[in-house]
Each structure stands twice: as C-alpha cells, then as structure tokens.
Amino acid sequence: MIIGVLAVVAALVGVHWYVWRRMVRDTTRPGGLPRRIGTGLVVLLPVLTVTALVSTNAGVPFTLQRIVAWPGYLWLAVLLYLVLALVVGEAVRPLLTRFLARRAAGPPPEEIPEPVAAVPGAAARTTPDDGPATPSHSAPDSRTPDTPAPDGPASRADDPRPPDEPALSRRLFVSRVVAVGAATAAAGTVGYGTYSVLRGPSTRHVTVPLAKLPRAAHGFRIAVVSDIHLGPILGRGHAQRVVDAVNRTGADLITVVGDLVDGTVANLGSAAAPLRELRARHGAFFVTGNHEYFSGAEEWVDYVRELGIHPLENARVELPAFDLAGVNDFAGESDNQGPDFARALGDRDTSRASVLLAHQPVAVHDAVDYGVDLQLSGHTHGGQLWPGPLLAELANPTVAGLERYGDTQLYVTRGAGAWGPPVRVGAPSDITVVELASKQA
C-alpha cells in the first residue's frame, strides 16, 4: 500500500515538473512575474486536486468540499489533455525550429558567373576601324580605406546583441507557440467535455430479444440509468435533469444500477430528492454500486426506499413477464454485504425469463452460471475520458453496449453522470431504454 502511494505521488510530481518545465520555465524569463505566477499555479492546483479527492471521506465540511471540487477535479482533466498535447508538441518543436531557422537565413544567393581569365599580353588591342588602341584600365575606387563595402557584413564589434541571442529568441518563440497550442487544445477539450456532462444525458434505445419472454411482453421497455454520481459538483439540478430524461421515455420499468452518490445522506439527501418523481408502470428499482459503500450504503438504501424506489439487496421480484433480480456490489464484501447470487437467483423458475441488475459488468460470469437471460450494468462510464476506454477494457468484459456471453446477454450503460472531473471525452453520458423482444412475436 505504501509503495503504491509513493509511486502515485512520484508520478504526479514528475508529470507536474514536466508541465512546469514546458509551460512555465521554457516560456518565461527568470525572475519575472509570469514565471512566479506560473510556478505558483503548478504547485497550488495539484494541492487542490488532492484535497478534493480526500475531502469526501475525510469529514471535511460539505461547503469546503464544493469549493475545492471544481478547480481540483477540473485540473485533473486539464492535466491529462495538457500532457498529451505537450507530448505531441515535442514532435512539432524541432520542425518549427528548423522552419524558422531557414526562414531567417533567407533565400539561397544567386549564382554569379565566374570572370573570364585575362589573356597575357592582351592589355591593349587594336582594331582596324577604331584606330590605335588605348590601354584598358579600371575606374579608380572612390572609397576611402576606412569605408566598409556597402554590401559587406557589419562588424560584430558594433552589434550590441550577445552572440547567441537570435537562437535564444527563436527557442523562446517556439516554446511559447507550443505552450499556447497545448493549453488551447486542453482547454477546448475539457470545456466541451464539461458541457456534455452539465447538459444532461442523451437517451439511447436498444432492442434485446429474449427466448423465454412471452409474446404478451413483447416491446416491454426498461429505462436503465447508472452512475449519476451526485456529489460536491453534480447536485440537485443534475438529478432533476436525469429524472426528467427518464420520465420522458415513458418506460414500463426504471432501474437505477448503482453509484447514485458520492457523499452522505446528510450532505446529499436534498440533491437526490428529485428521484421521488420517477414514474413507471412497474415502478423503479435500485441496486448498490461501489461508491455507495464509500458513502454509507445502509443509510442510502433506507433513503432510496423513502423516495419510493425499491432496493434489491440480493433479492428478486416476479413481474408478470419475467423475474427481476438484483445483487449488491462487490465492494460490499468487506462489510459482509457483498453479492449473493444464490439468494437472488438460486431457487427461481428457470423456465421464466430473467433480468439481473448488477452494478459491475464482471458479475456476468456468475450470471452465466445461474442462467440469467439479461444482465444490466454500469460502472465503467464507457471510459469517461479518452484514452480511458482502452484502460477500462483491461478490467471489464464489456465497456459499453450489448454483448453476449454464452446464453446470457450483457448490456452496459455509460452512465448519466461523471466521477471526479465533471468531464466526458469520447464517452458521452446516457440513459438507455432497453426494449425486450419476444421471439414468439
């Protein structure tokens, strides 16, 4: 554990040193105000980030959590894309330097024809038409010995600039161009990614055929929402946007598949209150995610029940057309509250279609063993920040979308919110309407 923490700290220090070097040291004059300001920001911003990360579970007053959350978490996203842009800039830097050097040198001089060598004894010539030849001389040079040639180079002794100043100026210019380009790319990417979160999730529609689904249930629609992540940044307004989007679908059933909150009921109960307005013919159901166990899972399960949402804690309900089961998240195992697939699925009628709610996609391996027809999950955020999807693939069987594992189908939503930075790049937030199709229809 200690080695892991030290490795993370060393990585953060190294990354920030690289950013300081390229964005501050290489672009400013020593001792100047811009350098002092830049250095101060490179020290302050990671401190805010660490404070934001630990404040939720450290009992820090919620007001202070909200103050440090925006700059602290946004810096994480900016840092990611700033470093990526600066790495690309390393390839651009020598090309731009070479271009400027060639431009400063000017066009190549034109070739001057070599003079024709004089023939000995031919200093004077005669021609029959012009009479006696006159000696050939060149015009006297009117310049004084102390006057330099008009086109000759100026003396270095008369040039007040240091000998290496042109190279330094060129390097400074290139460094500033690369830094401005990297900062613009990072700010633009993070700005758009933040807007995509704050405007609320889009709605996706997926059709899933189930062999055991009766014909009467053909077209049954389940609204799947996960990873809302109410917290210091995403609050009541975000919850209301999600509720409105879900209710607009007119789904027959609503499922909230974990990671509803990042904080306690005392701090976020009012933010989650709009979930009371969720409406569906067969009601709304909830299972815990890993973040509930960081935030007081038992209190949240009780509060969700007060909001009119039915928690499924390793439990199952029999709906008219299929069995709906739910299991606790794996993070509850440390408190003896982990998933219990046998309790949720073990004694059911296997001739009926079954749908399982499990926050993490990795539960699909157990779902296959218990003959589940469809598992609905979240957890991955679709990677949230590119290149996050590439990393998410290493830990999850499916990052987003619908895939089949044996006779079990797994659908993973990208989630309706964001953890940490309220930013999504390459993985837009969504809620999904899963429409069940009967093969008998």
Side-chain angles (χ1 to χ4, degrees), residues 129-340:
D129 298 331
D130 295 332
T134 58
S136 174
H137 346 241
S138 55
D141 191 348
S142 61
R143 293 174 298 174
T144 64
D146 296 333
T147 304
D151 297 329
S155 170
R156 278 300 318 181
D158 298 331
D159 191 343
R161 295 176 302 181
D164 59 346
E165 184 175 341
L168 281 176
S169 297
R170 188 178 301 125
R171 286 199 298 270
L172 184 62
F173 176 76
V174 169
S175 295
R176 288 177 175 176
V177 168
V178 172
V180 169
T184 302
T189 301
V190 172
Y192 178 78
T194 303
Y195 168 73
S196 71
V197 170
L198 297 182
R199 71 181 176 184
S202 60
T203 301
R204 302 187 67 199
H205 295 266
V206 176
T207 299
V208 180
L210 297 182
K212 300 176 185 177
L213 190 73
R215 178 183 297 182
H218 180 75
F220 190 98
R221 298 191 302 163
I222 305 173
V224 184
V225 58
S226 180
D227 301 282
I228 299 175
H229 283 289
L230 301 178
I233 293 180
L234 300 178
R236 187 184 182 98
H238 180 67
Q240 189 65 59
R241 286 189 292 269
V242 172
V243 168
D244 292 342
V246 171
N247 285 342
R248 280 195 298 267
T249 67
D252 301 297
L253 176 71
I254 298 170
T255 59
V256 182
V257 197
D259 278 8
L260 171 62
V261 292
D262 285 302
T264 63
V265 173
N267 290 333
L268 296 173
S270 61
L275 273 71
R276 191 186 305 273
E277 304 170 17
L278 289 172
R279 296 289 181 268
R281 183 159 56 101
H282 291 278
F285 293 84
F286 169 79
V287 293
T288 55
N290 54 309
H291 282 246
E292 271 72 57
Y293 293 96
F294 309 148
S295 307
E298 292 183 6
E299 289 186 39
W300 274 111
V301 167
D302 291 340
Y303 186 69
V304 162
R305 187 179 288 111
E306 292 177 14
L307 296 177
I309 303 173
H310 309 292
L312 289 175
E313 298 181 275
N314 298 321
R316 181 180 74 253
V317 294
E318 294 183 0
L319 299 178
F322 58 90
D323 293 339
L324 179 69
V327 292
N328 295 345
D329 187 72
F330 292 100
E333 291 177 340
S334 59
D335 298 326
N336 296 319
Q337 298 178 14
D340 189 336

Side-chain angles (χ1 to χ4, degrees), residues 16 78 100 114 177 202 213 271 287 316 360 374 404 418:
H16 282 87
V78 171
L100 293 175
E114 295 181 0
V177 168
S202 60
L213 190 73
V287 293
R316 181 180 74 253
Q360 297 194 40
L374 172 64
R404 177 179 288 276

Side-chain angles (χ1 to χ4, degrees), residues 97-144:
T97 301
R98 193 174 299 117
F99 169 78
L100 293 175
R102 289 179 178 176
R103 183 177 179 182
E110 296 181 1
E111 292 187 1
I112 301 175
E114 295 181 0
V116 178
V119 178
R125 61 184 180 89
T126 60
T127 61
D129 298 331
D130 295 332
T134 58
S136 174
H137 346 241
S138 55
D141 191 348
S142 61
R143 293 174 298 174
T144 64

Side-chain angles (χ1 to χ4, degrees), residues 20 67 73 121 183 220 347 427:
W20 174 82
I67 291 174
Y73 283 130
F220 190 98
D347 58 348

Side-chain angles (χ1 to χ4, degrees), residues 9 12 20 50 83 132 145 147 174 182 230 265 271 323 345 406 430 440-441:
V9 171
L12 285 175
W20 174 82
V50 173
V83 170
T147 304
V174 169
L230 301 178
V265 173
D323 293 339
L345 299 163
D430 68 59
Q440 304 172 31

